[in-house]
């Protein structure tokens, strides 16, 4: 029979309950998050303004100091140091501690390293350091200056995480380390990022602040012109530095150091050699990014990239394509890659337990106040120790003066305690003095030893007076700070690494271009190139010329013209659209090269460029006068084209099968001459053509005979009208030979043409001008206009260029006499610099009689 486990019915069951108080989840989350955020800010991410260190840095350095891992001792395994730091002071994981020690040993991360490493500690390519078991470390002498006097009660110590040891809350820091080495860190809701500076300049700024606590930012800027990065570079301008110094926040732009090595003899392209990179730029990633940009044609002109860096420094070589403009490519490297980087500073530091953004004067003030406190506590410690020592020496001197009695008193005592009491009672000594006498060695009874004690006492008394004088006035303490920072600057300071240049933020690519006159040519397949005018020597009329371009089969040169390097090229297409292009954007090519497809420079849409006009500036009192193949003329203000668009825009509206032939610049005050392929010309005043906007179709300029078409348009100015046929004949004609006709009439005979010949070019020229004549096969001749005879309208002229069989003249460029001057000193590029229209396929259509 089993017993009933239930309690008797009369026994009451007592159930204990705990009363809970309701809490607000919102309030609890708020409190917990604030506590967490402050813990991250104070204990991890933000440095102390006094020594410039975060807790993990401070604990690492102190642990190395405490274990004797100093600069005068052999290095110790990094793993041992990491274990000591983690076990004693920083229980947050070995990886973060080792990463901190590694960074403090990298010369490209710290302006003045805190740790001296032995082994692989990473590189500017982003290579990681070797594992801690393979590397060794010890303190750098610079770091020892931060720890100096820490054993003299100069700073406050607190229990470590398990209260088994004491650790410092801050280091004494003889060096303004926060300014010298900078820092960066991300906390909760805030971040700090401070650039490094030159130690000598910072120490000089400390002296300037001590002399005048209200020193203006402008004066500090003269002493500290800006950050001094460990990787060097060039800081562009000081406006950002002024903001950082004045407000604690700002941005500076830093460029790498690059030089251009010009090719010798033109056998290869130039080189760009980079020897310094901006701070914190990963070299390997930077090179990889550039290689991808070159592959995707976002960067043009680079043929090869080589990294020739070694232990002596960075050297990255960019081989450029022959004919590329090295200043433009270098400027593009600055614009589109990390070769130019910005450093956004935020001087956030812990001040009295709270995060605060400080300007330069605030940083100097906090460092000086910290050093005043350290020197006061250090001096007080040294003064007390010196006074105690003098007190002991006074007791020793008393004993030496009564040595026989002292010995008798000691020998007459049966215990050490009784001997101590006998000395205190019989000689007026206190307990420390009595203890010192009891511990005194017999050798100190010698006469020389007695003199040493006397000399030591005198020296200590002098030191006591010095310390008392130092502590008597804050001005004396500041003098001591000035002296110590000067010693630090002399011991550890070095020359500035980061150069300071003028602010080039407003410097455009054009500012780097030499503004000279070049020759531009375009083929019917829309290949374009530019060449130096000096490429072609002058020849007399009737010469064979020299090869000016190698063309593909079925491709011929359509136009050639002279322009300034900074001119705009308005590229008009067969569809009546316009695209903008700067002359310097056209790759420079050799005399015989075919050039580059224009589609690589313009966003063409199933269209071809038929005429191009160079223009330097868009003036409201100037107009563009258009002429189409079928005789239409349109006048549009230049300002309608003043806003370049990468995708182009509609310029004029063309009728069926019509196409744009020529464009010139006018000012609404002159007469113009329209010329046709069959040798006719019409002179009329341009004010008979009304001004319209972009997209208009215009009015009739000239009525054409039979299958004739317009080939050129020019202003009645300069000396003569130059007319050249495609078979190489040409002449100059007086403008007075063309009587004025009204617009929309047929005009008069201009030149007598051979059968199957057509006019390829008709332009106003001065007697001092030169012309470049180019054939379909790419042969070019350069000859003075004065070599061409002046004849009447009905003549065929003289032979300008001797052509090979089946070759034809396709383009003529007029080079004014002042073209050799800088383009900004020349007259505005006029209509005579516009290219001739592209050739139409010659046909056997007979020319009508006049």
């Amino acid at each position: 029979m089993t017993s009933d486990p239930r309690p008797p019915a009369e026994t009451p069951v007592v159930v204990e309950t705990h009363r809970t108080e309701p809490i607000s989840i919102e309030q609890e989350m708020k409190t917990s998050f604030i506590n967490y955020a402050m813990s991250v800010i104070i204990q991890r991410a933000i440095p102390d303004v006094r020594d410039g260190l975060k807790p993990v840095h401070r604990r690492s350095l102190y642990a190395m100091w405490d274990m004797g891992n100093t600069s005068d001792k052999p290095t110790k395994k990094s793993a041992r140091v990491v274990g000591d730091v983690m076990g004693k002071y920083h229980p947050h994981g070995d990886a973060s501690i080792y990463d901190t020690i590694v960074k403090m040993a990298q010369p490209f991360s710290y302006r003045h390293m805190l740790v001296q490493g032995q082994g692989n500690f990473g590189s500017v390519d982003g290579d990681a350091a070797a594992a801690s078991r393979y590397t060794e470390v010890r303190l750098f002498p610079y770091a020892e200056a931060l720890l100096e006097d820490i054993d003299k009660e100069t700073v406050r110590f607190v229990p470590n995480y398990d209260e088994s040891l004491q650790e410092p809350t801050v280091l004494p820091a003889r060096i303004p380390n926060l300014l010298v080495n900078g820092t960066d860190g991300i906390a909760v809701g805030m971040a700090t990022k401070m650039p490094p500076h030159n130690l000598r300049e910072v120490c000089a700024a400390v002296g300037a602040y001590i002399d005048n606590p209200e020193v203006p930012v402008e004066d500090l800027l003269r002493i500290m012109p800006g950050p001094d990065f460990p990787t060097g570079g060039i800081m562009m301008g000081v406006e950002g530095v002024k903001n950082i110094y004045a407000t604690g926040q700002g941005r500076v732009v830093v460029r790498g150091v690059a030089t251009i090595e010009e090719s010798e003899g033109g056998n290869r392209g130039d080189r760009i050699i980079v020897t310094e990179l901006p701070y914190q730029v990963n070299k390997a990633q930077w090179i990889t990014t550039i290689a991808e940009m070159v592959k995707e044609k976002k960067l043009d002109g680079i043929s090869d990239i080589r990294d020739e860096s070694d232990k002596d420094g960075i050297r990255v070589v960019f081989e450029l394509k022959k004919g590329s403009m090295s200043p433009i490519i270098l400027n593009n490297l600055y614009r589109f890659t990390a070769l130019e980087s910005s450093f956004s500073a935020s001087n956030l530091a812990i001040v009295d337990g709270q995060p605060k953004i400080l300007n330069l004067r605030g940083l100097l003030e906090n460092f000086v106040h910290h050093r005043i406190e350290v020197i006061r506590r250090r001096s007080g410690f040294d003064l007390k120790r010196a006074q105690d020592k003098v007190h002991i020496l006074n007791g020793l001197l008393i004993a030496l003066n009564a040595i026989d009695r002292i010995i008798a008193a000691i020998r007459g005592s049966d215990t050490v305690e009784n001997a101590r009491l006998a000395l205190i009672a019989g000689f007026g000594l206190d307990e420390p003095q009595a203890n010192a006498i009891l511990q005194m060695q017999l050798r100190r009874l010698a006469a020389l030893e007695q003199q040493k004690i006397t000399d030591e006492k005198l020296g200590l008394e002098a030191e006591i007076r010095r310390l008392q004088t130092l502590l008597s006035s804050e001005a004396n303490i500041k003098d001591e700070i000035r002296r110590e920072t000067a010693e630090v600057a002399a011991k550890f300071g070095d020359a500035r690494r980061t150069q300071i240049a003028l602010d080039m933020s407003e410097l455009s690519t054009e500012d780097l271009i030499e503004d000279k006159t070049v020759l531009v040519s375009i083929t019917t397949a829309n290949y374009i190139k530019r060449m130096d005018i000096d490429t072609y020597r002058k020849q007399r009329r009737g010469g064979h010329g020299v090869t000016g371009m190698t063309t593909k089969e079925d491709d011929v040169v359509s136009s050639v013209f002279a322009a300034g390097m900074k001119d705009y090229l308005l590229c008009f297409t067969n569809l009546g659209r316009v695209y903008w292009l700067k002359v310097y954007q056209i790759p420079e090519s050799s005399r015989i090269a075919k050039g580059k497809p224009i589609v690589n420079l313009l966003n063409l849409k199933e269209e071809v460029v038929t005429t191009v006009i160079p223009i330097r500036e868009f003036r409201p009192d100037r107009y563009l006068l258009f002429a189409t193949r079928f005789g239409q003329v349109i006048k549009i203000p230049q300002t309608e084209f003043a806003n370049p668009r990468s995708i182009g825009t509609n310029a004029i509206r063309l009728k069926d099968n019509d196409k744009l032939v020529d464009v010139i610049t006018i000012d609404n005050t002159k007469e113009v001459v329209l010329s046709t392929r069959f040798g006719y010309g019409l002179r009329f005043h341009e004010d008979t053509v009304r001004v319209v906007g972009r997209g208009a179709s215009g009015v009739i300029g000239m009525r054409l005979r039979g299958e004739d078409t317009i080939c050129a348009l020019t202003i009645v100015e300069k000396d003569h009208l130059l007319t050249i046929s495609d078979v190489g004949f040409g002449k100059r004609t007086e403008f007075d030979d063309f009587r004025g006709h009204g617009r929309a009439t047929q005009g008069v005979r201009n030149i007598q043409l051979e059968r199957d010949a057509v006019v390829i070019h008709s332009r106003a020229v001065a007697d001092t001008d030169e012309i470049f004549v180019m054939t379909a096969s790419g042969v070019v001749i350069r000859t003075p206009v004065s070599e061409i005879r002046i004849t009447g309208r009905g003549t065929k002229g003289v032979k300008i260029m001797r052509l090979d069989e089946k070759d034809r003249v396709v383009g003529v460029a007029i080079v004014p006499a002042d073209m050799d001057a800088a383009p900004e000193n020349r007259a505005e590029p006029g209509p005579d610099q516009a290219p001739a229209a592209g050739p139409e396929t010659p046909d056997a259509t007979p020319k009508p009689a006049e």
Side-chain angles (χ1 to χ4, degrees):
M1 184 176 179
T2 60
S3 60
D4 189 350
R6 292 176 296 176
E10 65 272 16
T11 303
V13 177
V14 178
V15 179
E16 295 185 4
T17 60
H18 296 280
R19 185 176 180 181
T20 58
E21 294 289 339
I23 60 172
S24 168
I25 251 187
E26 180 182 352
Q27 184 61 37
E28 180 64 23
M29 289 292 292
K30 182 178 179 180
T31 302
S32 298
F33 182 78
I34 290 176
N35 291 339
Y36 165 72
M38 288 304 297
S39 174
V40 172
I41 293 168
I42 304 299
Q43 296 296 326
R44 291 199 183 187
I46 309 299
D48 193 291
V49 71
R50 296 168 291 178
D51 60 6
L53 299 174
K54 303 175 189 177
V56 64
H57 297 80
R58 187 180 303 114
R59 289 165 176 168
S60 298
L61 297 178
Y62 179 69
M64 294 173 71
W65 171 276
D66 190 46
M67 68 190 297
N69 191 21
T70 53
S71 62
D72 57 344
K73 304 289 194 328
T75 55
K76 297 183 185 296
K77 280 291 185 182
S78 299
R80 178 181 173 185
V81 174
V82 170
D84 226 43
V85 175
M86 182 172 59
K88 292 181 177 179
Y89 308 112
H90 197 75
H92 294 293
D94 58 335
S96 62
I97 297 172
Y98 185 54
D99 288 345
T100 297
I101 293 174
V102 165
K103 191 172 182 180
M104 290 192 291
Q106 291 175 336
F108 51 85
S109 293
Y110 273 61
R111 183 61 179 81
H112 287 274
M113 293 184 295
L114 300 174
V115 172
Q116 182 178 357
Q118 183 172 306
N120 175 16
F121 280 83
S123 71
V124 292
D125 289 326
D127 299 320
S132 61
R133 62 184 178 273
Y134 298 119
T135 61
E136 297 181 357
V137 292
R138 64 182 175 186
L139 286 177
F140 212 76
Y142 176 93
E144 293 173 358
L146 299 178
L147 290 150
E148 190 174 340
D149 300 326
I150 197 169
D151 53 353
K152 293 184 178 181
E153 300 177 359
T154 52
V155 295
R156 187 168 66 93
F157 278 70
V158 295
N160 68 341
Y161 68 94
D162 63 356
E163 299 187 354
S164 62
L165 296 169
Q166 296 285 311
E167 63 173 311
T169 56
V170 69
L171 299 187
R174 292 185 66 183
I175 302 171
N177 182 62
L178 187 56
L179 277 168
V180 173
N181 271 326
T183 188
D184 58 74
I186 300 175
V188 179
M190 61 184 66
T192 183
K193 190 169 186 180
M194 298 180 61
H197 294 81
N198 185 270
L199 176 58
R200 292 175 180 172
E201 296 171 356
V202 172
C203 291
V206 171
Y209 174 82
I210 292 174
D211 293 337
N212 177 19
E214 300 300 324
V215 57
V217 171
E218 290 75 15
D219 292 348
L220 292 174
L221 190 63
R222 282 190 286 271
I223 299 171
M224 291 175 56
D228 188 21
F229 298 101
T231 53
I234 305 172
M235 190 178 70
M236 311 309 295
V238 295
E239 285 302 316
V241 179
K242 289 180 182 178
N243 292 332
I244 296 171
Y245 287 179
T247 67
Q249 294 180 314
R251 185 178 74 97
V252 294
V253 176
V254 183
R255 284 183 169 183
V257 174
T259 56
I260 295 174
E261 184 181 282
E262 295 184 356
S263 61
E264 297 180 1
N267 296 325
R268 58 172 178 81
D270 296 343
R271 288 177 176 174
I272 295 176
I273 301 174
V274 177
T275 53
E276 294 179 11
L277 289 175
Y279 185 48
Q280 295 178 335
V281 169
N282 184 307
K283 176 165 63 67
Q285 289 182 1
W286 172 66
I287 293 174
T288 301
T289 300
I290 293 176
E292 292 175 353
M293 295 177 73
V294 171
K295 184 178 180 181
E296 296 171 0
K297 299 188 181 302
K298 295 179 180 178
L299 277 177
D300 197 13
I302 297 175
S303 61
D304 188 29
I305 307 174
R306 293 195 310 276
D307 186 0
E308 299 179 357
S309 306
D310 56 21
K311 60 182 180 62
D312 296 324
I314 293 173
R315 179 181 167 88
V316 181
V317 179
F318 295 89
E319 295 283 357
L320 306 185
K321 296 177 181 178
K322 188 176 179 180
S324 298
M325 297 197 65
S326 48
I328 295 180
I329 296 174
L330 178 56
N331 194 55
N332 287 337
L333 287 174
Y334 285 135
R335 289 178 60 192
F336 303 123
T337 78
L339 190 58
E340 177 179 291
S341 301
S342 62
F343 187 100
S344 298
S346 178
N347 296 345
L348 182 70
I350 302 300
V351 181
D352 297 328
Q354 297 294 327
K356 185 177 181 181
I357 292 179
L358 301 164
N359 59 17
L360 178 56
R361 201 159 54 202
L363 293 169
L364 295 173
E365 176 187 8
N366 280 278
F367 172 75
V368 170
H369 286 177
H370 173 57
R371 286 303 296 170
I372 289 173
E373 178 66 18
V374 167
I375 291 175
R376 183 176 284 124
R377 296 180 68 160
R378 181 190 69 192
S379 300
F381 179 87
D382 289 341
L383 178 61
K384 183 178 184 303
R385 188 168 60 177
Q387 290 172 336
D388 291 345
K389 184 65 174 175
V390 168
H391 183 63
I392 297 297
L393 293 177
N394 285 332
L396 294 179
L397 290 174
I398 291 173
L400 291 173
N401 290 332
I403 189 62
D404 294 336
R405 294 170 55 204
I406 291 290
I407 292 174
I410 294 174
R411 293 183 65 182
S413 303
D414 54 350
T415 64
V416 174
E417 181 62 29
N418 289 337
R420 182 184 299 110
L421 294 174
L423 293 177
I424 293 173
F427 298 92
L429 304 172
D430 57 16
E431 185 172 345
Q433 289 174 324
N435 288 334
I437 292 171
L438 290 174
Q439 295 170 5
M440 185 175 63
Q441 297 172 338
L442 290 177
R443 64 181 176 82
R444 305 206 71 174
L445 299 178
L448 288 177
E449 288 294 327
Q450 295 182 38
Q451 185 60 42
K452 285 183 180 180
I453 293 174
T454 302
D455 293 343
E456 185 180 359
K457 178 188 173 185
L458 293 175
L460 286 171
E461 288 174 343
E463 178 67 8
I464 288 171
R465 290 192 296 273
R466 186 190 71 82
L467 293 171
Q468 288 173 337
T469 301
L470 179 61
L471 290 170
S472 66
S473 167
E474 187 172 290
N476 293 337
I477 296 177
K478 289 182 176 179
D479 289 339
E480 182 73 3
I481 296 173
R482 186 185 290 104
R483 184 188 65 79
E484 289 183 355
T485 51
E487 288 180 356
V488 164
K491 184 176 181 180
F492 301 110
D494 56 10
R496 166 174 279 276
R497 298 180 189 175
T498 300
Q499 307 170 43
I500 299 176
L502 297 176
D503 187 359
M504 299 179 70
S505 58
E506 299 301 323
L507 191 64
S508 66
T509 300
E510 286 193 20
D511 297 319
L512 303 173
I513 304 301
E514 179 187 0
D515 199 1
K516 62 181 181 179
T517 302
V518 295
L519 204 63
V520 180
S521 61
I522 304 176
T523 71
T524 54
N526 273 191
Y527 277 80
I528 188 170
K529 73 172 183 177
R530 63 174 170 83
M531 300 160 288
D532 197 327
I533 281 184
D534 294 335
T535 301
Y536 302 98
R537 70 181 189 275
K538 295 180 182 179
Q539 298 183 41
R540 293 187 62 84
R541 175 181 60 81
H544 276 285
V546 295
T547 301
M549 176 180 284
T550 301
T551 58
K552 298 189 304 181
E553 187 177 356
D554 299 328
D555 185 20
V556 297
V557 177
S558 64
S559 61
V560 57
F561 56 94
M565 285 285 283
K566 297 185 180 182
D567 288 352
Y568 270 108
L569 295 185
L570 297 182
C571 303
F572 298 96
T573 72
N574 59 330
L575 300 183
R577 291 176 59 80
V578 61
Y579 294 84
W580 288 260
L581 182 65
K582 281 286 190 176
V583 173
Y584 65 77
Q585 294 175 327
I586 304 170
E588 184 176 18
S589 302
S590 66
R591 180 168 56 85
I592 61 174
K594 68 180 180 181
K596 184 172 184 176
I598 201 169
V599 293
N600 292 347
L601 304 174
L602 304 176
N603 294 319
L604 299 177
K605 301 178 180 178
E606 297 182 357
E607 52 193 329
V608 295
V609 175
T610 56
T611 187
V612 179
I613 179 170
I615 187 168
R616 179 156 293 263
E617 60 177 336
F618 299 90
R619 292 167 43 181
D621 60 337
R622 303 283 286 183
Y623 305 87
L624 294 181
L625 186 63
F626 299 75
T628 71
R629 180 174 60 175
F630 294 156
Q632 295 291 111
V633 289
I634 307 102
K635 185 163 62 176
I636 303 174
Q638 282 188 358
T639 51
E640 290 281 318
F641 302 93
N643 298 315
R645 301 179 185 178
S646 60
I647 60 173
T649 188
N650 292 325
I652 62 174
R653 182 159 52 90
L654 297 171
K655 296 181 179 179
D656 293 342
N657 299 321
D658 203 357
K659 77 172 185 177
L660 186 61
V661 170
D662 206 354
V663 186
I664 61 173
T665 58
I666 57 175
D667 57 10
N668 213 31
T669 63
K670 295 182 176 64
E671 292 181 299
V672 297
V673 173
L674 274 171
S675 300
T676 73
R677 293 174 62 247
F678 290 170
Y680 288 87
L682 173 63
R683 176 177 176 176
F684 63 91
H685 203 285
E686 63 179 274
D687 63 4
T688 61
V689 182
R690 62 186 178 88
V691 178
V692 295
R694 283 189 299 105
S697 59
V699 295
I700 297 175
M702 182 177 182
R703 296 192 184 276
L704 302 174
R705 296 172 172 86
E707 300 297 321
D708 202 2
T709 57
I710 300 294
C711 69
L713 173 66
T714 189
I715 295 179
V716 177
E717 62 176 3
K718 297 189 178 181
D719 299 323
H720 303 94
L721 180 68
L722 173 68
T723 304
I724 298 176
S725 70
D726 65 343
V727 293
F729 279 81
K731 65 177 182 121
R732 287 185 291 162
T733 306
E734 299 284 355
F735 280 109
D736 290 342
D737 289 357
F738 295 87
R739 63 183 183 272
H741 285 67
R743 179 178 58 80
T745 59
Q746 290 187 326
V748 295
R749 169 70 67 182
N750 176 18
I751 186 173
Q752 186 68 41
L753 297 171
E754 298 179 358
R755 183 174 180 82
D756 297 336
V758 295
V759 173
I760 198 64
H761 187 82
S762 186
R763 276 287 185 271
V765 293
D767 295 339
T768 55
D769 290 346
E770 293 179 349
I771 61 171
F772 286 79
V773 181
M774 180 174 280
T775 71
S777 62
V779 176
V780 176
I781 189 172
R782 175 183 181 181
T783 188
V785 167
S786 58
E787 293 275 328
I788 304 173
R789 187 181 306 165
I790 301 173
T791 62
R793 287 191 297 106
T795 62
K796 71 176 184 178
V798 295
K799 184 170 285 294
I800 295 176
M801 186 175 187
R802 195 182 307 277
L803 302 179
D804 294 335
E805 188 178 357
K806 296 184 180 180
D807 203 2
R808 288 289 186 271
V809 173
V810 293
V812 179
I814 310 296
V815 182
D818 62 353
M819 270 294 182
D820 289 334
E824 68 269 17
N825 297 325
R826 301 195 316 258
E828 179 185 349
D832 299 323
Q833 292 180 50
E840 296 184 36
T841 304
D843 59 294
T845 306
K847 287 95 185 153
E850 183 176 359

